[in-house]
Amino acid sequence: MHTTCRTACGLTIFGALLSPLAASAQADRGSIKGVVHDQQNASIPNAQLTLQNESTGTQLHSVSLAGGDYSFSNLNPGVYTLTIEAQGFGKTVQQHLVVAVGSTTPLDLTLRTASVDQVITVSSADDSVDTQTSEIGTVITPREIQDLPVPMSNDMRNPLSFVTLTPGVAGSEPGPSPDYRLHISGSPSDSNEVYIDGVPIVNTNLQGDASLNHPPIDAISEFKIVNNNQSAQFGLASSAVSFAFKSGGNAYHGSAFEFLQNDKLDANDYVSNALG
């Protein structure tokens, strides 16, 4: 498999400083894997595949192997278009492929015999079970992060508050340090690890503690929680939460927000009232 980048890739100073760590951990990246075959389910080798990021226009190229296998790895989370061409078959275009953070998108491709000027376009892919990894977890999409409310904790909005909404996670109501009390798949608190763009948050006191050095929620694109059966890249943690920052695109976009905090419109809670 041969993959090349067709456009120049910019590096920020921050990314350059973290490049040794980011290169060894791919918790924030995704991949697409599958097999190219014909209508008789025979594998098609040497098919030319072009993967384009629909937001940035960046293209990657690959060639199917002798058994028809192909793969694109180390992908930024986002939406992609895959174009497949092979001698004797019509061009096939698969649009709007969603690559989630830390996940593998399985996609087997069926090419049909057709004239060279015929293009078959598929606008969406069927939902399928991830058969590429043993991990059990949940991906929280950008739309969910945008729409779901996040409680304030210690005058901050902690993105780990979203974790309490996923299956297999137990914890108290979000408070001053909600991440201290997360129990993922029955594991003890403070036994999970937190990654941001593939780099673990290092805290010598408590593993996975992101109460003080977490990024703002508005900078988060999506995240994945791995409850168990995680791969070796997550180390010895019993579970892992991997956040991915938002990335740029070819169209101008942004967001704005405002918080109103005062003592006139807020109701005190039961515990604070009891403590005077």
Side-chain angles (χ1 to χ4, degrees):
M1 187 274 291
H2 177 65
T3 302
T4 58
C5 183
R6 197 171 178 179
T7 61
C9 301
L11 291 177
T12 63
I13 297 177
F14 180 75
L17 293 175
L18 294 180
S19 58
L21 291 174
S24 61
Q26 303 301 327
D28 64 320
R29 301 303 176 94
S31 61
I32 299 176
K33 295 182 180 181
V35 179
V36 182
H37 52 75
D38 59 21
Q39 292 176 286
Q40 283 71 45
N41 207 34
S43 61
I44 301 177
N46 299 320
Q48 305 295 315
L49 299 100
T50 301
L51 185 68
Q52 178 171 323
N53 187 308
E54 296 183 6
S55 177
T56 64
T58 302
Q59 291 187 346
L60 299 172
H61 300 275
S62 183
V63 179
S64 61
L65 303 178
D69 304 88
Y70 77 94
S71 66
F72 291 93
S73 58
N74 200 28
L75 300 175
N76 289 321
V79 182
Y80 291 82
T81 293
L82 179 60
T83 303
I84 311 97
E85 298 180 85
Q87 186 175 4
F89 296 90
K91 179 190 294 186
T92 298
V93 179
Q94 180 80 53
Q95 298 177 332
H96 311 317
L97 292 171
V98 177
V99 175
V101 56
S103 301
T104 299
T105 301
L107 180 64
D108 290 342
L109 303 164
T110 302
L111 302 187
R112 294 174 173 82
T113 303
S115 58
V116 293
D117 57 349
Q118 181 177 355
V119 179
I120 300 173
T121 302
V122 182
S123 59
S124 63
D126 295 334
D127 293 335
S128 56
V129 177
D130 184 0
T131 59
Q132 305 296 323
T133 65
S134 61
E135 296 174 354
I136 298 176
T138 304
V139 174
I140 301 299
T141 66
R143 180 62 182 270
E144 292 169 322
I145 289 181
Q146 177 181 342
D147 293 346
L148 290 174
V150 179
M152 297 289 292
S153 59
N154 198 22
D155 295 329
M156 296 184 294
R157 297 194 307 160
N158 194 326
L160 278 177
S161 298
F162 284 117
V163 179
T164 60
L165 304 178
T166 60
V169 178
S172 62
E173 293 295 326
S177 301
D179 44 349
Y180 288 169
R181 294 166 284 181
L182 290 179
H183 300 274
I184 301 176
S185 295
S187 63
S189 59
D190 307 323
S191 62
N192 59 288
E193 187 60 273
V194 178
Y195 292 78
I196 298 178
D197 275 354
V199 179
I201 295 179
V202 179
N203 189 322
T204 57
N205 296 322
L206 294 172
Q207 183 177 8
D209 177 21
S211 59
L212 299 178
N213 56 350
H214 63 78
I217 287 181
D218 299 272
I220 298 297
S221 171
E222 58 186 280
F223 77 88
K224 180 180 181 180
I225 173 175
V226 181
N227 295 65
N228 47 44
N229 291 351
Q230 63 267 29
S231 58
Q233 66 177 329
F234 294 109
L236 299 178
S238 63
S239 55
V241 181
S242 179
F243 291 99
F245 278 143
K246 292 179 179 178
S247 60
N250 292 339
Y252 288 106
H253 62 281
S255 61
F257 59 90
E258 178 183 2
F259 296 119
L260 174 62
Q261 290 183 277
N262 56 48
D263 58 357
K264 305 301 181 183
L265 302 178
D266 297 337
N268 209 353
D269 58 61
Y270 175 82
V271 176
S272 297
N273 278 328
L275 295 175

mmCIF file of all heavy atoms in Angstrom, residues 177-196:
data_model
loop_
_atom_site.group_PDB
_atom_site.id
_atom_site.type_symbol
_atom_site.label_atom_id
_atom_site.label_comp_id
_atom_site.label_asym_id
_atom_site.label_seq_id
_atom_site.Cartn_x
_atom_site.Cartn_y
_atom_site.Cartn_z
ATOM 1 N N SER A 177 -15.123 18.646 40.722
ATOM 2 C CA SER A 177 -14.157 17.803 40.004
ATOM 3 C C SER A 177 -14.850 16.539 39.522
ATOM 4 O O SER A 177 -14.640 15.455 40.061
ATOM 5 C CB SER A 177 -12.971 17.445 40.909
ATOM 6 O OG SER A 177 -12.316 18.602 41.370
ATOM 7 N N PRO A 178 -15.682 16.644 38.482
ATOM 8 C CA PRO A 178 -16.441 15.464 38.069
ATOM 9 C C PRO A 178 -15.569 14.342 37.535
ATOM 10 O O PRO A 178 -15.924 13.173 37.621
ATOM 11 C CB PRO A 178 -17.366 16.023 36.976
ATOM 12 C CG PRO A 178 -16.658 17.242 36.470
ATOM 13 C CD PRO A 178 -15.963 17.819 37.656
ATOM 14 N N ASP A 179 -14.384 14.678 36.996
ATOM 15 C CA ASP A 179 -13.533 13.634 36.442
ATOM 16 C C ASP A 179 -12.905 12.769 37.534
ATOM 17 O O ASP A 179 -12.418 11.685 37.270
ATOM 18 C CB ASP A 179 -12.443 14.229 35.549
ATOM 19 C CG ASP A 179 -11.793 15.441 36.173
ATOM 20 O OD1 ASP A 179 -12.308 15.952 37.174
ATOM 21 O OD2 ASP A 179 -10.766 15.869 35.657
ATOM 22 N N TYR A 180 -12.866 13.236 38.796
ATOM 23 C CA TYR A 180 -12.346 12.412 39.882
ATOM 24 C C TYR A 180 -13.243 11.204 40.152
ATOM 25 O O TYR A 180 -12.800 10.206 40.691
ATOM 26 C CB TYR A 180 -12.240 13.232 41.164
ATOM 27 C CG TYR A 180 -11.137 14.247 41.189
ATOM 28 C CD1 TYR A 180 -11.068 15.200 42.194
ATOM 29 C CD2 TYR A 180 -10.149 14.259 40.209
ATOM 30 C CE1 TYR A 180 -10.058 16.143 42.225
ATOM 31 C CE2 TYR A 180 -9.145 15.198 40.234
ATOM 32 C CZ TYR A 180 -9.092 16.136 41.237
ATOM 33 O OH TYR A 180 -8.093 17.066 41.260
ATOM 34 N N ARG A 181 -14.512 11.295 39.799
ATOM 35 C CA ARG A 181 -15.467 10.297 40.235
ATOM 36 C C ARG A 181 -16.029 9.467 39.098
ATOM 37 O O ARG A 181 -17.099 8.906 39.206
ATOM 38 C CB ARG A 181 -16.598 10.994 41.003
ATOM 39 C CG ARG A 181 -16.123 11.622 42.293
ATOM 40 C CD ARG A 181 -17.148 12.573 42.860
ATOM 41 N NE ARG A 181 -17.163 13.823 42.113
ATOM 42 C CZ ARG A 181 -17.962 14.853 42.418
ATOM 43 N NH1 ARG A 181 -18.793 14.753 43.418
ATOM 44 N NH2 ARG A 181 -17.909 15.949 41.711
ATOM 45 N N LEU A 182 -15.327 9.403 37.988
ATOM 46 C CA LEU A 182 -15.769 8.594 36.864
ATOM 47 C C LEU A 182 -15.424 7.128 37.103
ATOM 48 O O LEU A 182 -14.294 6.792 37.454
ATOM 49 C CB LEU A 182 -15.107 9.065 35.562
ATOM 50 C CG LEU A 182 -15.549 10.421 35.004
ATOM 51 C CD1 LEU A 182 -14.781 10.730 33.732
ATOM 52 C CD2 LEU A 182 -17.040 10.430 34.735
ATOM 53 N N HIS A 183 -16.410 6.268 36.900
ATOM 54 C CA HIS A 183 -16.183 4.825 36.966
ATOM 55 C C HIS A 183 -16.625 4.251 35.621
ATOM 56 O O HIS A 183 -17.817 4.164 35.331
ATOM 57 C CB HIS A 183 -16.985 4.196 38.109
ATOM 58 C CG HIS A 183 -16.625 4.744 39.457
ATOM 59 N ND1 HIS A 183 -15.582 4.255 40.202
ATOM 60 C CD2 HIS A 183 -17.155 5.752 40.179
ATOM 61 C CE1 HIS A 183 -15.485 4.926 41.337
ATOM 62 N NE2 HIS A 183 -16.440 5.847 41.345
ATOM 63 N N ILE A 184 -15.643 3.906 34.790
ATOM 64 C CA ILE A 184 -15.900 3.450 33.428
ATOM 65 C C ILE A 184 -15.853 1.930 33.403
ATOM 66 O O ILE A 184 -14.825 1.331 33.727
ATOM 67 C CB ILE A 184 -14.886 4.048 32.440
ATOM 68 C CG1 ILE A 184 -14.958 5.582 32.486
ATOM 69 C CG2 ILE A 184 -15.150 3.559 31.021
ATOM 70 C CD1 ILE A 184 -13.922 6.279 31.626
ATOM 71 N N SER A 185 -16.972 1.319 33.061
ATOM 72 C CA SER A 185 -17.103 -0.140 33.013
ATOM 73 C C SER A 185 -16.702 -0.787 34.338
ATOM 74 O O SER A 185 -16.043 -1.826 34.370
ATOM 75 C CB SER A 185 -16.276 -0.725 31.863
ATOM 76 O OG SER A 185 -16.781 -0.284 30.632
ATOM 77 N N GLY A 186 -17.074 -0.151 35.435
ATOM 78 C CA GLY A 186 -16.800 -0.709 36.754
ATOM 79 C C GLY A 186 -15.411 -0.484 37.279
ATOM 80 O O GLY A 186 -15.076 -0.974 38.371
ATOM 81 N N SER A 187 -14.579 0.244 36.555
ATOM 82 C CA SER A 187 -13.206 0.458 37.008
ATOM 83 C C SER A 187 -13.166 1.504 38.111
ATOM 84 O O SER A 187 -14.077 2.328 38.240
ATOM 85 C CB SER A 187 -12.343 0.926 35.831
ATOM 86 O OG SER A 187 -12.805 2.178 35.339
ATOM 87 N N PRO A 188 -12.109 1.490 38.937
ATOM 88 C CA PRO A 188 -11.989 2.519 39.979
ATOM 89 C C PRO A 188 -11.817 3.898 39.363
ATOM 90 O O PRO A 188 -11.382 4.043 38.211
ATOM 91 C CB PRO A 188 -10.731 2.091 40.750
ATOM 92 C CG PRO A 188 -10.492 0.672 40.362
ATOM 93 C CD PRO A 188 -11.026 0.512 38.983
ATOM 94 N N SER A 189 -12.144 4.924 40.133
ATOM 95 C CA SER A 189 -11.915 6.280 39.652
ATOM 96 C C SER A 189 -10.416 6.532 39.515
ATOM 97 O O SER A 189 -9.585 5.886 40.152
ATOM 98 C CB SER A 189 -12.526 7.293 40.617
ATOM 99 O OG SER A 189 -11.969 7.143 41.903
ATOM 100 N N ASP A 190 -10.071 7.459 38.644
ATOM 101 C CA ASP A 190 -8.675 7.837 38.366
ATOM 102 C C ASP A 190 -7.881 6.726 37.694
ATOM 103 O O ASP A 190 -6.647 6.757 37.709
ATOM 104 C CB ASP A 190 -7.947 8.263 39.654
ATOM 105 C CG ASP A 190 -8.687 9.345 40.411
ATOM 106 O OD1 ASP A 190 -9.263 10.224 39.733
ATOM 107 O OD2 ASP A 190 -8.706 9.302 41.649
ATOM 108 N N SER A 191 -8.549 5.746 37.115
ATOM 109 C CA SER A 191 -7.821 4.692 36.410
ATOM 110 C C SER A 191 -7.934 4.838 34.899
ATOM 111 O O SER A 191 -7.409 4.014 34.159
ATOM 112 C CB SER A 191 -8.350 3.310 36.822
ATOM 113 O OG SER A 191 -9.713 3.159 36.469
ATOM 114 N N ASN A 192 -8.618 5.866 34.434
ATOM 115 C CA ASN A 192 -8.732 6.111 33.001
ATOM 116 C C ASN A 192 -7.639 7.074 32.547
ATOM 117 O O ASN A 192 -7.029 7.786 33.350
ATOM 118 C CB ASN A 192 -10.109 6.688 32.661
ATOM 119 C CG ASN A 192 -10.380 7.991 33.382
ATOM 120 O OD1 ASN A 192 -10.598 7.994 34.586
ATOM 121 N ND2 ASN A 192 -10.347 9.109 32.670
ATOM 122 N N GLU A 193 -7.389 7.089 31.259
ATOM 123 C CA GLU A 193 -6.410 8.000 30.686
ATOM 124 C C GLU A 193 -7.124 8.925 29.706
ATOM 125 O O GLU A 193 -8.069 8.518 29.026
ATOM 126 C CB GLU A 193 -5.299 7.229 29.963
ATOM 127 C CG GLU A 193 -4.142 8.104 29.484
ATOM 128 C CD GLU A 193 -3.445 8.825 30.641
ATOM 129 O OE1 GLU A 193 -3.910 9.924 30.999
ATOM 130 O OE2 GLU A 193 -2.458 8.290 31.171
ATOM 131 N N VAL A 194 -6.671 10.179 29.639
ATOM 132 C CA VAL A 194 -7.261 11.183 28.762
ATOM 133 C C VAL A 194 -6.217 11.606 27.736
ATOM 134 O O VAL A 194 -5.073 11.924 28.095
ATOM 135 C CB VAL A 194 -7.758 12.403 29.557
ATOM 136 C CG1 VAL A 194 -8.323 13.468 28.619
ATOM 137 C CG2 VAL A 194 -8.827 11.976 30.571
ATOM 138 N N TYR A 195 -6.627 11.611 26.459
ATOM 139 C CA TYR A 195 -5.754 12.030 25.364
ATOM 140 C C TYR A 195 -6.354 13.245 24.676
ATOM 141 O O TYR A 195 -7.572 13.347 24.529
ATOM 142 C CB TYR A 195 -5.586 10.913 24.330
ATOM 143 C CG TYR A 195 -4.812 9.711 24.815
ATOM 144 C CD1 TYR A 195 -5.402 8.761 25.638
ATOM 145 C CD2 TYR A 195 -3.484 9.534 24.450
ATOM 146 C CE1 TYR A 195 -4.693 7.661 26.084
ATOM 147 C CE2 TYR A 195 -2.761 8.431 24.894
ATOM 148 C CZ TYR A 195 -3.371 7.504 25.708
ATOM 149 O OH TYR A 195 -2.672 6.420 26.149
ATOM 150 N N ILE A 196 -5.497 14.159 24.247
ATOM 151 C CA ILE A 196 -5.917 15.306 23.451
ATOM 152 C C ILE A 196 -5.069 15.326 22.194
ATOM 153 O O ILE A 196 -3.841 15.478 22.263
ATOM 154 C CB ILE A 196 -5.776 16.623 24.224
ATOM 155 C CG1 ILE A 196 -6.680 16.609 25.466
ATOM 156 C CG2 ILE A 196 -6.133 17.812 23.335
ATOM 157 C CD1 ILE A 196 -6.573 17.853 26.305
#
